[in-house]
């Protein structure tokens, strides 16, 4: 398969402890392109699917690697470590090599901590990996830029000089493009680089150190060639889809930045860009050129608005601080005038900052007309000047439970700094809260043979076998909801125990209920420990719902069901539900039971543990125990469903098509539940729509939704004859067709995949649903001016499209 005597290497870039998947890494892409230039083929394991550890390991080993190379950041270190252990367990002869910032700045620490790592590539990887593959592991001392193990000793070789073609402005063209060589898909997801490095010496920053405080460029022609390829192959599908320019400081050389923008304009390239740069390397002309070149969003580094802090961190030349702040104001204004989405980034907790200085920064931001500000809290990275001088400023670092990144002891309590409404973190918190609400309400996608979510009702006592079971059944990254009701410290212990047991835990949502007793509402902590941001999550009975309120609502009293029904009623007129999206209430705990698709636990992707017992849902009773196969667990839930259906006589129930058949309607009895479902059948439809709306709520918060809830209601899209002609295919009863500001959308209840429909498809789907005859439909389509032939083709195309969407019976 590979035409070279060198060792075969497979690259992997595991996600951070967040919800991402394993993607291509641009830095690794450059290495692969450079190796290819030297006749060496490598492979990359990337997947958009969430997989379990054994599936990932098998996926990596499919490439038959002799070396597995991980791109390692502090934040994905726990996963890199876990995967390294597992691939080595499968094949002890494999070599594990690390590259990236963590391998560069914490090489010795990670090698000491993880014996499965054989070698760290320090700094730029292209030439080092080439030599490694050519020479193998026998003569490591002769390879510059590595740290390796020699018995019990770690040896670091001399740092390698940076690659350069020696031609000014084209220094980096010596490395082929990962895009033009087809090694990284040109779809905008990994972004582009027009240069590497930064010449500044901000004391907290490690990326300028990565490339030794120098800057090297790709030629403008090369960048343009990459962009043309991207434009050809990638069509952004939402306003959020942008090509990220990953340069540390895009316009360090202002003239070059202008020339690049001009070239993009001249070549007629139309791509949306997002980039960040320094205000002291920017002017109005550049911003206008950026706008014309397609820059839609721009971020300026502010870091702090306190001159004292700016001076301490060496962000700005001495005595230029006020000038710098003035430049921030001007650049923000110019970029706003150019119609860009503008943000500034700040770091709270920098050396020299106290509450007063933080206030100065907040006041400064308040006066700026930014769309958003990125409020970061200082992380002290290994390798930086601040890492060595931290103690002088009352700062310190100590290892976290998972070793990296370090826990930071700030000089004062930075968590008390208020967030302004434009804080990016505020959005992040809202998203975490929403995700938690979805999980607790089972508003999650199904997975086939694994679990994506773990809910802890009570922490189990787990032995090695139990951990292996969790590892084999849960995906990486696994989202966890800890509702054990413990204090923060205990939740952190649970997380630590899961991670050290080899469970691929990513986002960890912990409800700190202890607090409830003393200080009011329970708080949601988003762990891991180094990001323990608190969010309040009170649960409000729905009958106390106030219009517009967001949050978590319960429906556990008859009064709540009545309130929900009358809430729906206020939006229904002549059989049509007309609903302004901004009126969608927050999430309903146990929404699944009030909706119309069969109980999600039957095929569900949430594993609920109550000690060693496995429950099908938050309200459920035991259906198995840790160690049981997923098939058995699911089979047990299915059996339960069959038993319930028999007991309740669902077969003969008039709402059987719109009922969840909730297995555990606690606190209602089965009889009470059935009575409510029969009494309020319309409720199910709204719940289904609400669940769906929660998914794209933010983007369309201004829209009005319309849906027919009564068979006799007038059609939304189809305006022709209501009869006549041969029958058309039947649409599944659980397909919902909606109009959002007149735009058609449809989905299958119980699934979260919405399909946007063009106007003709919306008309056709509705005609199918209404049972219109073929000839009537075709003549209606012809009214808009299309020929009979085209109209019949549109109908037959629609049949195959709807078939693929799973809409037809
Ligand atoms: C682009 C980028 C991303 C992209 C990556 C896109 C992609 N698919 O390629 C995304 C959005 C995924 C990302 C995410 C995050 N990032 Co980021 N990211 C960057 C950024 C801006 C550029 C990276 C880059 O392409 N550099 C240029 C290339 C050429 O250099 P390189 O990546 O270092 O790669 C070279 C070497 O490191 C080495 N190498 C790289 N991989 C490998 C693998 C092997 C096997 C070998 C041998 C060598 C090797 O060789 C490469 C070529 O010379 C850097 C800043 C920077 N300037 O590096 C931050 C940076 C790397 N990110 C950082 C952080 C903190 C994050 C996030 C936590 C989110 C955040 N707050 O920004 C997440 C964590 C992701 C994770 N999985 O853990 C930090 C890392 C700090 C640390 N010590 O870990 C950096 C340094 C910025 C910073 N100081 O805040 N990031
Ligand atoms: S209301 Fe009761 S009997 Fe009717 S379908 Fe639902 S669970 Fe079955
Ligand atoms: S048993 Fe009821 S509450 Fe639990 S997941 Fe099924 S429908 Fe929802």
């Amino acid at each position: 398969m590979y035409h070279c005597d060198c060792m075969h290497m497979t690259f992997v870039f595991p996600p951070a402890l967040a919800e991402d998947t394993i993607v291509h890494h641009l830095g690794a892409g450059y290495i692969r392109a450079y190796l290819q230039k030297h006749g060496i083929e490598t492979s990359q394991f990337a997947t958009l699917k969430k997989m379990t550890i054994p599936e990932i390991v098998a996926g990596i080993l499919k490439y038959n690697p002799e070396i597995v190379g991980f791109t390692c950041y502090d934040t994905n270190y726990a996963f890199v470590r876990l995967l390294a252990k597992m691939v080595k367990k499968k094949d002890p002869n494999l070599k594990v090599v690390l590259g990236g910032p963590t391998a560069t700045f914490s090489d010795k620490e990670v090698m000491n901590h993880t014996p499965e790592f054989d070698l760290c590539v320090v700094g730029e990887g292209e030439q080092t990996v080439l030599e490694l593959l050519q020479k193998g592991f026998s003569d490591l001392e002769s390879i510059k830029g590595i740290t390796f193990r020699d018995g019990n000793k770690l040896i670091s070789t001399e740092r390698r000089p940076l690659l350069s073609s020696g031609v000014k402005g084209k220094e980096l063209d010596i490395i082929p493009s990962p895009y033009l060589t087809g090694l990284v898909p040109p779809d905008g997801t990994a972004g582009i680089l027009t240069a590497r490095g930064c010449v500044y010496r901000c004391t907290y920053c490690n990326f300028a150190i990565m490339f030794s405080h120098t800057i090297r460029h790709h030629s403008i022609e090369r960048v343009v060639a990459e962009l043309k390829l991207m434009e050809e192959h990638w069509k952004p599908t939402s306003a959020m889809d942008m090509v990220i320019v990953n340069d540390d400081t895009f316009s360090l050389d202002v003239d070059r930045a202008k020339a690049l923008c001009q070239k993009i304009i001249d070549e007629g390239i139309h791509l949306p860009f997002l980039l960040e740069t320094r205000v002291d390397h920017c002017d109005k002309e550049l911003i206008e050129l950026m706008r014309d070149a397609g820059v839609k969003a721009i971020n300026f580094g502010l870091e702090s608005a306190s001159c004292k802090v700016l001076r301490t961190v060496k962000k700005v030349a001495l005595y230029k601080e006020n000038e710098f702040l003035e430049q921030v104001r001007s650049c923000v204004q110019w970029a706003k005038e150019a119609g860009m989405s503008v943000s500034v980034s700040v770091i709270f907790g920098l050396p020299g900052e106290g509450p007063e200085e933080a206030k100065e920064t907040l006041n400064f931001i308040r006066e700026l007309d930014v769309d958003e500000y990125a409020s970061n809290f200082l992380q002290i990275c290994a390798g930086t000047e601040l890492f060595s001088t931290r103690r002088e400023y009352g700062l310190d670092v100590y290892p976290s439970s998972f070793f990296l990144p370090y826990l930071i002891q700030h000089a004062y309590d930075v968590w008390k700094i208020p967030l302004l409404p434009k804080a990016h973190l505020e959005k992040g918190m809202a998203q975490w809260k929403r995700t938690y609400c979805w999980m607790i309400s089972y508003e999650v996608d199904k997975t086939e043979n694994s679990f994506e979510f773990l809910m802890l009702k009570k922490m189990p006592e787990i032995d090695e076998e139990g951990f292996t079971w969790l590892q084999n059944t849960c995906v990486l990254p696994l989202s966890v909801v800890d509702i054990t009701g413990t204090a923060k410290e205990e939740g952190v212990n649970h997380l630590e125990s899961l991670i050290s047991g080899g469970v691929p835990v990513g986002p960890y949502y912990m409800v700190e209920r202890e607090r409830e007793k003393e200080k009011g509402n329970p708080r949601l902590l988003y762990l891991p420990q180094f990001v323990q941001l608190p969010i309040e999550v009170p649960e409000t009975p729905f009958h106390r719902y106030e219009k517009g309120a967001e949050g978590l609502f319960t429906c556990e009293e008859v009064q709540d069901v009545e309130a929900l029904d009358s809430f729906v009623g206020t939006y229904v007129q002549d059989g049509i539900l007309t609903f302004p999206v901004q009126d969608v209430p927050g999430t309903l705990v146990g929404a699944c039971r009030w909706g119309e698709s069969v109980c999600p636990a039957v095929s569900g992707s949430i594993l609920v543990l109550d000690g060693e017992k496995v429950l099908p849902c938050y309200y459920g009773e035991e259906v198995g125990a840790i160690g049981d196969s997923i098939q058995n667990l699911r089979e047990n839930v299915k059996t339960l469903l069959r038993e319930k259906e028999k007991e309740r006589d669902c077969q003969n129930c008039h709402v059987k098509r719109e009922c969840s058949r909730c297995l555990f309607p606690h606190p209602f009895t089965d009889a009470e539940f059935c009575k409510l479902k029969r009494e309020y059948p319309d409720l199910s439809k709204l719940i289904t729509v609400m669940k769906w709306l929660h998914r794209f709520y933010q983007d369309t918060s201004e829209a009005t939704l319309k849906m027919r809830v009564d068979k006799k209601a007038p059609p939304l899209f189809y305006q022709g004859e209501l009869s006549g002609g041969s029958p058309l295919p039947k649409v599944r009863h659980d397909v919902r067709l909606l109009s959002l500001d007149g735009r058609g959308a449809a989905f299958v209840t119980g699934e979260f995949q919405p399909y946007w429909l063009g106007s003709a498809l919306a008309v056709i789907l509705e005609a199918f649903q209404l049972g219109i005859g073929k000839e009537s439909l075709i003549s209606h389509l012809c009214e808009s001016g299309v020929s009979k032939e085209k109209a019949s083709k549109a109908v037959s195309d629609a049949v195959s499209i709807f078939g693929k969407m799973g809409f037809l019976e």
Side-chain angles (χ1 to χ4, degrees), residues 25 27 66 117 145 376 385 400 410 463 471 485 518 550 581 588 623 626 684 716 735 747:
H25 186 262
E66 290 155 294
F117 297 156
N376 304 297
E385 182 183 324
S400 77
H410 295 105
D463 56 12
Q471 197 177 68
E518 301 138 33
E550 272 229 37
V581 173
L588 206 62
V623 287
I626 288 182
S684 311
L716 296 172
V735 170
F747 66 99

Side-chain angles (χ1 to χ4, degrees), residues 12 55 80 158 259 299 370 376 419 439 523 623 633 701 744 783:
V12 189
E55 285 167 345
V80 170
E158 193 186 321
N299 175 275
V370 284
N376 304 297
L419 288 178
M439 285 198 268
R523 291 191 312 178
V623 287
L633 291 171
S701 53
E783 280 165 26

Side-chain angles (χ1 to χ4, degrees), residues 29 124 127 243 252 301 309 331 406 507 552 608 628 683 740 755 801:
E124 202 159 70
Q127 185 62 26
V243 179
L252 210 57
V309 176
C331 283
Y406 293 103
L552 205 49
V608 186
D628 289 351
L683 203 61
L740 268 159
Y755 295 96
I801 296 170

Side-chain angles (χ1 to χ4, degrees), residues 442 590 592-593 599-601 616-619 660-665:
Y442 241 117
C592 40
R593 75 165 54 140
C599 162
C617 96
Y618 176 57
Y619 299 95
S660 62
R661 295 147 162 78
C662 176
L663 304 175
F664 301 104

